[in-house]
Amino acid sequence: MFDTTWDPSKPILEIENLSISFFTRLREIPAVMDFSCTVMAGEAMGLVGESGCGKSTVALAVMRDLGKNGQIVAGSIKFKGRDLTRMSEEDLRHIRGSEIAMIYQEPMASLNPAMKVGAQLAEVPMIHQGMSRDDAWKLARQIVADVRLPDPDRIVNAYPHQLSGGQQQRIVIAMALMSKPALLILDEPTTALDVTVEAGIVDLVKDLGHKYGTSMLFISHNLGLILDVCDRLCVMYSGEAIETGHVGEVFDKMRHPYTQALFRSIPLPGADKNSSPLVAIPGNFPLPHERPKGCNFGPRCDYFEAGRCDAAEVHMSAVPGDDRHASRCVKWTEIDWNAPLKAKVVKPKTPVGKVVLKMEDLKKYYSVSGSAFGGGTKKVVKANETLSFEAREGETLAIVGESGCGKSTFAKVLMGLETATSGTIMLFDENVQSTPIQQRNTDMVSSVQMVFQNPFDTLNPSMTIGRQIIRALEIFKQGKSDEDRAARMLELLDLVKLPRAFADRMPRQLSGGQKQRVGIARAFAGGAKVVVADEPVSALDVSVQAAVTDLLMDIQRENRTTLLFISHDLSIVRYLSDRVMVMYLGHVVEMGTTDQVFSPPYHPYTEALLSAVPIADTRVIKKRIVLEGDIPSAMNPPPGCPFQTRCRWKSQVPGGLCDTVMPPVKMLAEGHQIKCHLPDDVLSTMEPVIKMAAE
C-alpha cells in the first residue's frame, strides 16, 4: 500500500486553508473558505454547524466527490502525508472504500435493493483486496456479527428492504468497515433513526473505532452526539471554521459568540419555557453570495462592534493554554464568557382550563392481506390499543415513542383522516370517533389543526405565501370580504413573526424555519383550539428550533390553545410540555406530569428512552441503557407485555407474568400511571437515569 512510509505520530488527515466553490451559469458560489482541520491517528473529530454551513462539502472534498460543479480552488487535503487534491483518479480509486470510507445519512441510498446484503458486503474486499468469494462472504458474516446484528446467517441472505432502518444503517457501517479503513467519515449517520436505535449505533461506532483503530470525521448538528462520540470538534458557520478544540474545552470554555449562541438555543437540563426560556439566534444564516464584510457572524452577534468586526477578514487565533483550541473572533479576549444572560424574560404560565379533548379505549386496527398480491389470510395491524387520555385548554401534552409506536396513527384519527375501530373521541363534548374529515363541519375542522414535520412538503410551490394563508381563511369561512381576509393574513404573519413583505414571496424563497412558521400561521388561520404538532422542529436547525418552539408557546399563551406535541426528542419535550404520554407498540405505557415522567420510578421503556437522549452538557452523568432489538411488528405483537422482548427488568417479575399477561394500569401517584407488572418494592429501588455531576 502507498502508506508504508507514513509516521503514525503525524496527522492522518490534515486540511489546510481549504476553499471550495460551486460554479453555476450565473456566478461562483464560495461554499467553504480558508478551512483548516487536523485529525490524528485514532482520533474522532466532530464537525458541527447548521444546514448549509459547509460540513458535508468538506467531507465530499476529502472523498474528492464534489460533482461536476464543485471545485477545490485553494488549499490542500493531506491523507497520511499525501495530498489528495493532486492525486490521479487511479490512485483515488485505490483509496476510496479501502483507506477512506464514508457513511451517509440515508442508509437505503447506499444499498442496492436488488442484491442480498452478504453479496454487497463481500464486494468490498473482492474489489479492493482481490479476496476470494468464499473468504469475502466469511468476512461479511463476521462483520455483521461485529455490528451486533442478530442472526448473522439470516441477515447476510436478506435483501435490504427486509431490514429495519437501524439494521440497514448497521449494514452500511459494516460495509464501510469491510476493508478496515484508516479514516471513516460519518455524515449525520443517525438523523433518520429513533433515539434508542441511535444510542446503539453511537456505542457501536465508538467501540468499532477503538477495535479497528479507525480515525473518524463525525458530521452532526447534534451537540449531544458530538459529546458522546468525539475527542475534538470543529464548529462551522457559513463556510468557515469558527472554533476548534478539545470537546470538553469547547463545551465548557467556548471562545466564539456563535458557539455560545448555539448552546443558549438548545434545551439543556434546567431550561424552562416560563422561567428560563431558550434564546434564539436573531436573524438568518447569510447566503453564500451575500456574506457580510469581516466576520460572517457579525450581523447576528451580541458583541458586534462596527468598524472593527466588519473591517477586514478575520483569521483563526490560538487560545493560549488549551489543547489546540482556536477561535475566529477579534474580540474573544475582551468578552466576559462567564457573564450571566441579560435579564431573562420570565413568561407567565398558561393557566390550564377545562377538558377539551378526551379519548377512551380508542382502538385503531388495519386489515392487510397476507401476501403481496392480495391473497392469503387477512392479517390485522394493531396500530393503537385501548388509548385513553384527556387534554385541557392551554395545556401542552407531549406524545413520545419510537417509530411504529402509533403516535402518528392516533393523530390521523383525531384529525379525521382515519376513523377509529372502536372507542370514543370527545372533542368539545362531541363524539367524533367515526366522523371522517369530509363529514366534519367547518367549525370542527378549523378548531383542530396540524403542524407537520416537514415544512417543505406542506406548501404549494406555485402559490405565494399570502395566497396560501388567505386560501385557508376562505376554507374556514373567516372574514366577510377579500379585504378582511387580506388584513387577517397580515396579522397572522405578525403572529408568527414574519415580515409582512413575505406575503408576496414564493415558498422557494424562504428558509426551512420560515416555511415552518407559514405552516403554523395556516394552522391558526381558523382560530384553532387544538393543534397537533407532529415533530414540528425535527427538520430544523437547533437555532431555528428555539425560535419555532418559543413561537408555539407564545401563540398558546395568547390563544389558550391545547397543544399535542408529538416528538422523539425528549430534551425539547422536557422543556415545553406540561404532561407526557409515552407510547409503545400502540399502548400508553406511562403518563404523568413532565416532572413525574422524568423522575424515577419510571416504566422500564421510559427509563431506556431517557438514557438514550444525547445531552450537550459535560456536567450530566447518564446511566447507559441500550435496548437490544427493534420494536416488534404491530401485525405480530408479542404475548403478554408488549415491551417484554426488550425489557431489562423482566427477571424481577415473578411467575413469568410478563410473557403471558397484559400488564394492568398502575397508579404511582396522583395523575401518574404506568402499564407494568413490576412490584412496588422493585419500582421504589429505581435510580435517576440523568444526574448532574454536582449532585
Side-chain angles (χ1 to χ4, degrees):
M1 296 294 272
F2 74 90
D3 62 329
T4 48
T5 57
W6 175 66
D7 176 359
S9 66
K10 295 267 176 30
I12 195 160
L13 180 70
E14 202 170 6
I15 303 174
E16 285 186 347
N17 310 114
L18 181 69
S19 294
I20 302 164
S21 289
F22 288 89
F23 293 86
T24 67
R25 282 178 298 179
L26 292 176
R27 58 168 75 89
E28 174 188 352
I29 297 171
V32 173
M33 296 99 61
D34 188 33
F35 178 84
S36 297
C37 160
T38 303
V39 183
M40 303 302 288
E43 195 170 64
M45 166 68 83
L47 216 49
V48 180
E50 297 171 275
S51 306
C53 72
K55 308 184 299 288
S56 297
T57 305
V58 168
L60 292 170
V62 174
M63 295 297 285
R64 289 290 311 279
D65 183 24
L66 288 167
K68 285 182 180 173
N69 296 344
Q71 202 174 311
I72 294 169
V73 291
S76 63
I77 305 170
K78 287 182 181 162
F79 173 69
K80 291 190 173 181
R82 284 187 59 184
D83 193 343
L84 296 173
T85 62
R86 301 177 188 279
M87 217 173 265
S88 69
E89 276 298 319
E90 183 62 30
D91 282 346
L92 284 168
R93 257 198 303 276
H94 287 302
I95 294 170
R96 283 194 204 114
S98 61
E99 287 280 308
I100 305 175
M102 187 159 175
I103 296 167
Y104 296 89
Q105 185 169 343
E106 183 47 64
M108 253 331 250
S110 309
L111 296 170
N112 182 337
M115 272 175 87
K116 286 185 176 175
V117 164
Q120 297 189 54
L121 291 169
E123 258 190 351
V124 180
M126 285 162 69
I127 290 169
H128 287 292
Q129 292 155 30
M131 195 179 278
S132 72
R133 186 180 181 282
D134 286 352
D135 287 347
W137 270 80
K138 276 182 196 155
L139 180 63
R141 192 202 170 284
Q142 182 212 319
I143 290 201
V144 165
D146 273 357
V147 296
R148 300 185 201 142
L149 280 165
D151 194 357
D153 293 317
R154 180 185 69 80
I155 297 276
V156 291
N157 286 298
Y159 287 96
H161 72 270
Q162 294 171 304
L163 308 180
S164 69
Q167 290 174 332
Q168 287 169 3
Q169 191 62 288
R170 283 169 191 257
I171 291 299
V172 172
I173 291 170
M175 197 183 290
L177 293 168
M178 281 297 285
S179 54
K180 300 189 173 62
L183 177 67
L184 186 59
I185 301 171
L186 302 102
D187 189 1
E188 302 266 16
T190 59
T191 302
L193 305 177
D194 280 312
V195 67
T196 49
V197 181
E198 177 179 81
I201 297 280
V202 164
D203 278 7
L204 173 70
V205 164
K206 285 197 290 191
D207 292 350
L208 294 174
H210 294 311
K211 179 175 180 178
Y212 294 118
T214 310
S215 305
M216 285 189 276
L217 192 61
F218 191 95
I219 297 168
S220 181
H221 63 271
N222 186 326
L223 288 158
L225 267 188
I226 294 290
L227 181 59
D228 275 353
V229 178
C230 300
D231 309 302
R232 301 180 59 73
L233 88 157
C234 175
V235 183
M236 289 188 74
Y237 181 80
S238 190
E240 294 179 326
I242 53 101
E243 184 162 13
T244 183
H246 183 272
V247 163
E249 279 166 359
V250 175
F251 273 54
D252 293 339
K253 294 192 274 181
M254 56 200 70
R255 291 295 178 264
H256 195 284
Y258 174 63
T259 315
Q260 184 185 57
L262 265 187
F263 275 91
R264 285 177 175 173
S265 66
I266 56 177
L268 296 174
D272 177 86
K273 64 181 177 182
N274 297 313
S275 60
S276 53
L278 301 179
V279 182
I281 304 175
N284 288 312
F285 203 73
L287 293 171
H289 54 281
E290 293 174 357
R291 289 188 178 108
K293 276 187 71 180
C295 174
N296 282 344
F297 187 59
R300 305 174 73 189
C301 181
D302 289 343
Y303 309 103
F304 178 76
E305 189 181 325
R308 191 170 163 207
C309 296
D310 54 2
E313 198 177 326
V314 183
H315 296 283
M316 292 291 265
S317 55
V319 176
D322 287 337
D323 175 24
R324 290 149 55 206
H325 190 174
S327 169
R328 193 184 292 269
C329 175
V330 293
K331 296 182 71 176
W332 73 263
T333 53
E334 303 157 35
I335 294 168
D336 179 359
W337 297 100
N338 297 317
L341 268 171
K342 289 173 194 156
K344 288 178 183 169
V345 184
V346 175
K347 298 185 175 177
K349 191 176 187 315
T350 311
V352 173
K354 64 181 191 301
V355 173
V356 294
L357 171 67
K358 187 170 185 176
M359 285 197 181
E360 280 191 54
D361 294 333
L362 183 87
K363 293 185 181 182
K364 175 60 184 172
Y365 294 173
Y366 294 95
S367 179
V368 294
S369 59
S371 76
F373 302 103
T377 313
K378 290 269 183 188
K379 293 188 177 180
V380 172
V381 176
K382 298 180 176 181
N384 287 147
E385 279 276 30
T386 58
L387 205 62
S388 298
F389 75 92
E390 54 187 39
R392 296 172 182 274
E393 183 184 62
E395 179 180 53
T396 302
L397 172 68
I399 298 137
V400 299
E402 295 168 284
S403 305
C405 73
K407 306 187 297 286
S408 295
T409 300
F410 136 76
K412 286 176 189 168
V413 171
L414 173 60
M415 298 298 296
L417 300 171
E418 302 270 5
T419 52
T421 307
S422 67
T424 57
I425 304 173
M426 298 301 292
L427 193 58
F428 313 113
D429 305 324
E430 188 177 332
N431 187 1
V432 295
Q433 168 257 331
S434 53
T435 315
I437 196 160
Q438 300 90 320
Q439 291 168 26
R440 293 187 182 184
N441 61 39
T442 306
D443 283 350
M444 183 63 69
V445 172
S446 65
S447 64
V448 184
Q449 283 293 298
M450 194 155 181
V451 178
F452 294 90
Q453 179 171 355
N454 196 336
F456 308 95
D457 295 342
T458 56
L459 298 179
N460 184 332
S462 58
M463 208 184 265
T464 65
I465 298 306
R467 181 71 200 118
Q468 301 199 43
I469 296 173
I470 287 171
R471 176 96 183 96
L473 290 167
E474 287 169 353
I475 290 168
F476 297 144
K477 300 191 167 83
Q478 299 286 309
K480 292 177 181 165
S481 64
D482 290 350
E483 289 76 22
D484 277 359
R485 284 186 281 274
R488 177 66 184 141
M489 177 267 292
L490 294 173
E491 286 170 12
L492 284 164
L493 286 178
D494 295 342
L495 181 73
V496 296
K497 300 181 174 69
L498 282 176
R500 290 187 166 201
F502 276 35
D504 299 322
R505 289 197 181 182
M506 304 300 280
R508 67 174 184 274
Q509 295 171 290
L510 271 60
S511 69
Q514 289 166 342
K515 284 179 186 163
Q516 193 59 293
R517 284 164 188 257
V518 176
I520 293 169
R522 213 169 43 175
F524 282 92
K529 297 285 185 290
V530 177
V531 171
V532 181
D534 189 0
E535 302 268 13
V537 294
S538 63
L540 306 176
D541 281 315
V542 284
S543 61
V544 184
Q545 276 184 13
V548 172
T549 47
D550 272 3
L551 170 68
L552 280 170
M553 294 296 99
D554 286 345
I555 294 174
Q556 182 184 50
R557 287 183 191 98
E558 201 171 306
N559 296 2
R560 294 180 55 73
T561 319
T562 303
L563 188 64
L564 302 181
F565 192 88
I566 298 173
S567 181
H568 65 269
D569 182 346
L570 287 170
S571 301
I572 214 106
V573 163
R574 186 172 199 168
Y575 169 68
L576 59 76
S577 64
D578 301 307
R579 287 194 305 134
V580 181
M581 180 163 97
V582 183
M583 289 185 70
Y584 186 83
L585 202 60
H587 294 262
V588 176
V589 294
E590 181 161 10
M591 183 156 55
T593 66
T594 307
D595 287 341
Q596 286 171 335
V597 171
F598 278 77
S599 311
Y602 320 98
H603 186 280
Y605 176 57
T606 310
E607 181 191 46
L609 274 183
L610 288 171
S611 89
V613 180
I615 301 172
D617 193 329
T618 55
R619 299 166 301 159
V620 166
I621 300 167
K622 258 192 323 183
K623 187 184 287 183
R624 197 72 166 152
I625 304 159
V626 175
L627 289 179
E628 298 297 323
D630 296 298
I631 283 197
S633 164
M635 203 183 294
N636 188 21
C641 173
F643 188 58
Q644 52 106 343
T645 56
R646 303 166 81 193
C647 182
R648 74 188 192 104
W649 290 87
K650 188 170 151 184
S651 60
Q652 303 286 326
V653 177
L657 269 179
C658 299
D659 296 327
T660 53
V661 180
M662 177 65 70
V665 172
K666 180 186 294 190
M667 297 304 289
L668 298 180
E670 190 183 345
H672 187 197
Q673 66 179 59
I674 66 169
K675 205 174 208 177
C676 187
H677 284 301
L678 278 176
D680 291 346
D681 58 331
V682 175
L683 283 167
S684 66
T685 64
M686 274 195 173
E687 295 176 349
V689 172
I690 299 166
K691 285 187 195 168
M692 301 302 275
E695 285 180 14

